[in-house]
Amino acid sequence: MASNYNRKSASSGSRKASSRPRRSAVASARPAASSRAAANRPGGRSSSYGGAYRAMPGGQMPNRRSGQNQPSLTSVRVGDLDRAQRSARTQHTYRRHLVRIGIAAAFVGALIVGGVGVYYSNLFTIESVSVKGVEHLTAEDMQNMAGVPAGTTLLRVDASKIRDNLLKNSWVQDVSVNRIFPDTLELAVTERTIEAVVEVPTQNAEKTQPWAIASDGMWLMPIPDKDSEAGRRTSSKVYEDADSVLRITDVPYGTKPEVGTYCTDANVNNALDIVAGMTTELADRVTAVKATERESTTLTIKDGPDIVFGTADNIREKERVCLEIMKQHPDGVAYINVRTVERPTWRAS
């Protein structure tokens, strides 16, 4: 019995003793396997920590240097990046526009300062006044009427005031005041022309005074005797035109023309309207118009009869009737009356 117990004890002791070296062998094998696994990883390094790899909390590798913080990772949405880029571009564009505006403002300011300085300086002083487009007025008359101040410049001259001064003259229908640098002011005038000469009875009705009248009814001037002192101061063009236009005669007493005003006499205006409205060959043959009354206005025809034309209506039809009557009587007609164009009358010569 004793022998069996001893054998069991011996075998148990031998098993306990043999199990200890096996645990140490396994423990020693684990570090070796770990080092081999670290060496076999891609980019694996030989451990500088005694060949052992230790798992760190959070799965992070140990820092290579003491005191160095591992950068933290943050998540950003793609839309946030686009907005940030757009904001940066907008700010850059805004700053660039501000710079441009600043440069432009400085340039404009410099121009204004320079312009004001030139405006109040003596640059471009008017040395001469030229006049063109006048025939019935003289250049000296125009310069005197313009009233250009002495010593003024092309920049400071009041062109509108000069124009108003010139338009007060009855002959001036329109005028343009032009600056010709460096020192000339030009007056470009459009004159009225004489449409007719009206024989106006004088105040005592003993004689008549010829008045030049324009096509728009403006009284231009009384025509003085050519040999008088006033006639010698008058342009020769006035007498030339007066001799070539028709005459309005037999004007009623009391007609009062005034230079620079429009004619208000109904008889004279009716005569002007008739002559202005005629379009046939008859118009060129009218030499005079008797304007005693509107209804009895009479045309004097060169190498033809007197025509009682009447008022200035149905002008074209009255012309046609007159020409037809004259054509039907080649031997001549002494008198034609077309006041009532539907019932014309005439008298053969």
Side-chain angles (χ1 to χ4, degrees), residues 54-331:
R54 293 184 299 171
M56 301 298 292
Q60 297 180 353
M61 292 291 291
N63 294 331
R64 295 177 61 89
R65 297 179 182 176
S66 61
Q68 182 178 3
N69 296 327
Q70 189 72 15
S72 60
L73 299 178
T74 58
S75 63
V76 179
R77 290 182 297 179
V78 175
D80 295 339
L81 292 176
D82 291 340
R83 282 194 294 271
Q85 291 174 355
R86 286 196 299 268
S87 177
R89 286 195 300 268
T90 302
Q91 292 178 0
H92 177 70
T93 303
Y94 178 71
R95 288 193 295 269
R96 185 171 57 190
H97 287 334
L98 286 180
V99 172
R100 291 179 179 177
I101 292 173
I103 294 174
F107 180 72
V108 171
L111 287 180
I112 293 174
V113 172
V116 171
V118 172
Y119 180 83
Y120 288 102
S121 70
N122 291 326
L123 291 175
F124 310 118
T125 300
I126 297 175
E127 300 293 343
S128 63
V129 179
S130 66
V131 181
K132 69 176 185 179
V134 294
E135 294 180 324
H136 303 91
L137 297 169
T138 65
E140 182 179 359
D141 291 337
M142 295 297 296
Q143 291 174 2
N144 292 335
M145 286 186 293
V148 180
T152 190
T153 68
L154 291 176
L155 299 179
R156 296 199 303 270
V157 66
D158 191 345
S160 61
K161 182 178 180 180
I162 292 175
R163 185 174 185 274
D164 292 340
N165 291 341
L166 295 176
L167 288 175
K168 293 176 182 178
N169 188 277
S170 59
W171 287 99
V172 180
Q173 185 174 20
D174 196 12
V175 62
S176 175
V177 181
N178 305 318
R179 298 172 174 87
I180 301 178
F181 290 88
D183 57 8
T184 302
L185 189 69
E186 179 188 72
L187 308 178
V189 180
T190 300
E191 279 190 332
R192 289 184 174 90
T193 57
I194 301 176
E195 180 71 13
V197 174
V198 183
E199 299 288 349
V200 179
T202 58
Q203 187 172 1
N204 55 16
E206 294 180 355
K207 59 179 182 179
T208 59
Q209 169 67 54
W211 274 79
I213 192 170
S215 59
D216 60 355
M218 173 75 74
W219 292 110
L220 297 176
M221 64 176 293
I223 302 175
D225 186 79
K226 186 180 291 186
D227 296 329
S228 66
E229 182 180 353
R232 287 189 290 270
R233 294 196 306 266
T234 303
S235 170
S236 61
K237 181 65 173 174
V238 173
Y239 295 101
E240 181 182 341
D241 289 350
D243 292 338
S244 63
V245 299
L246 66 90
R247 298 215 165 218
I248 300 176
T249 63
D250 295 353
V251 176
Y253 176 79
T255 302
K256 297 180 180 180
E258 184 178 349
V259 174
T261 63
Y262 289 99
C263 177
T264 58
D265 185 86
N267 301 320
V268 175
N269 288 334
N270 183 68
L272 290 174
D273 292 340
I274 291 173
V275 175
M278 297 178 73
T279 58
T280 66
E281 61 185 78
L282 201 61
D284 297 330
R285 297 174 60 183
V286 177
T287 59
V289 180
K290 296 178 181 179
T292 306
E293 292 180 351
R294 291 178 67 249
E295 291 75 12
S296 61
T297 301
T298 303
L299 310 181
T300 301
I301 305 299
K302 182 180 180 181
D303 300 327
D306 287 345
I307 301 174
V308 182
F309 210 84
T311 59
D313 54 0
N314 298 321
I315 295 177
R316 187 68 180 271
E317 182 65 14
K318 290 178 179 179
E319 284 184 279
R320 186 192 66 79
V321 171
C322 291
L323 291 173
E324 184 66 25
I325 293 173
M326 294 167 65
K327 183 179 179 180
Q328 293 175 359
H329 299 80
D331 295 335

Side-chain angles (χ1 to χ4, degrees), residues 18-33 36:
S18 61
S19 61
R20 290 174 184 169
R22 288 179 64 185
R23 291 193 188 98
S24 60
V26 171
S28 61
R30 286 177 180 171
R36 285 195 302 269

